[in-house]
Amino acid sequence: EAQVTQNPRYLITVTGKKLTVTCSQNMNHEYMSWYRQDPGLGLRQIYYSMNVEVTDKGDVPEGYKVSRKEKRNFPLILESPSPNQTSLYFCASSLRPDRPSYEQYFGPGTRLTVT
Amino acid sequence: KNQVEQSPQSLIILEGKNCTLQCNYTVSPFSNLRWYKQDTGRGPVSLTIMTFSENTKSNGRYTATLDADTKQSSLHITASQLSDSASYICVVSASNAGNMLTFGGGTRLMVKP
């Protein structure tokens, strides 16, 4: 089954404790991205990757890191989480989002709380 | 700066009624426009995708329209059901390198019995 998986689905952590949210897709997609969603603000892109070893900042990259060592995985790293990073995070993948025939698939979301 | 504005922000309708959601965009160069449905706490799911040359596309009770001249799109929901209660997000894609996707803030729809 074609899917995007994220782990963990729920995480409560404390300020400053490094964490990683994993994202994996099994569709051989080139493009992967991370979003955060906060009430009243909609989805905002954190980072995206056009392919292996190619990553770039989205609209809200501060406080986050990513890596794309393999095509299928795109982990999101919070080196020193802060309470303002409490949010619902989504990973997504597609072949190329600018091509209308290529669908973008979203993961199930990771709800992160930083205390 | 590329922008996508959606209206209304929220909407309450009675089951069985129709409704129309709006999306205005300033994204260039335009590639395609997508409507997504997002249930609370879950990832968005695609409803329709339209290119510059398409002015209407249907997916069951969902019909999207696109006016590329005025840079407006609408999503019409016919004979609403309780399961239509969700957020609807308009996403516009640019056909250039770099950050290609611009998301609207969404319309939160509640269908009441």
Side-chain angles (χ1 to χ4, degrees):
Chain A
E1 179 190 354
Q3 61 181 352
V4 178
T5 57
Q6 295 178 227
N7 281 294
R9 294 289 314 281
Y10 302 91
L11 179 60
I12 300 174
T13 189
V14 296
T15 299
K17 185 177 181 182
K18 181 179 178 180
L19 65 92
T20 299
V21 184
T22 65
C23 173
S24 183
Q25 50 92 4
N26 62 359
M27 297 167 278
N28 202 35
H29 284 168
E30 299 160 346
Y31 181 91
M32 297 185 74
S33 60
W34 275 102
Y35 303 89
R36 62 177 289 174
Q37 188 172 38
D38 303 290
L41 293 178
L43 281 157
R44 293 181 292 168
Q45 192 174 53
I46 303 170
Y47 268 94
Y48 65 98
S49 170
M50 296 296 293
N51 213 324
V52 176
E53 301 292 2
V54 181
T55 63
D56 211 341
K57 297 177 180 178
D59 297 320
V60 288
E62 294 78 20
Y64 304 95
K65 285 175 58 178
V66 292
S67 69
R68 188 89 182 273
K69 293 184 170 56
E70 307 167 277
K71 201 171 191 178
R72 64 181 292 127
N73 296 323
F74 190 46
L76 179 69
I77 303 157
L78 285 72
E79 294 271 2
S80 183
S82 61
N84 64 12
Q85 293 178 297
T86 292
S87 187
L88 178 59
Y89 291 86
F90 290 101
C91 179
S93 77
S94 83
L95 280 168
R96 274 187 67 96
D98 61 326
R99 305 278 174 82
S101 57
Y102 296 148
E103 185 52 75
Q104 181 164 209
Y105 296 86
F106 285 82
T110 295
R111 188 167 291 281
L112 172 65
T113 302
V114 183
T115 61
Chain B
K1 181 182 177 182
N2 290 338
Q3 285 190 311
V4 176
E5 301 284 343
Q6 290 187 244
S7 62
Q9 282 191 321
S10 61
L11 182 62
I12 301 173
I13 61 173
L14 292 175
E15 187 179 12
K17 298 295 186 182
N18 303 335
C19 68
T20 300
L21 314 180
Q22 300 290 343
C23 172
N24 297 339
Y25 63 91
T26 53
V27 175
S28 182
F30 176 85
S31 173
N32 61 81
L33 184 146
R34 307 160 189 248
W35 283 94
Y36 286 89
K37 178 186 179 187
Q38 184 181 22
D39 293 315
T40 301
R42 306 191 70 171
V45 175
S46 179
L47 294 174
T48 63
I49 304 173
M50 287 186 293
T51 62
F52 184 88
S53 59
E54 297 173 299
N55 55 24
T56 187
K57 185 164 279 189
S58 292
N59 178 358
R61 293 180 297 101
Y62 301 100
T63 299
T65 65
L66 173 65
D67 185 334
D69 292 330
T70 61
K71 300 187 178 180
Q72 297 179 324
S73 175
S74 66
L75 181 69
H76 186 75
I77 304 175
T78 304
S80 61
Q81 300 176 358
L82 298 179
S83 59
D84 292 331
S85 295
S87 289
Y88 292 84
I89 303 170
C90 176
V91 184
V92 182
S93 198
S95 56
N96 56 359
N99 190 0
M100 303 177 206
L101 301 179
T102 305
F103 285 76
T107 292
R108 180 145 191 85
L109 174 65
M110 183 179 296
V111 180
K112 289 192 168 182

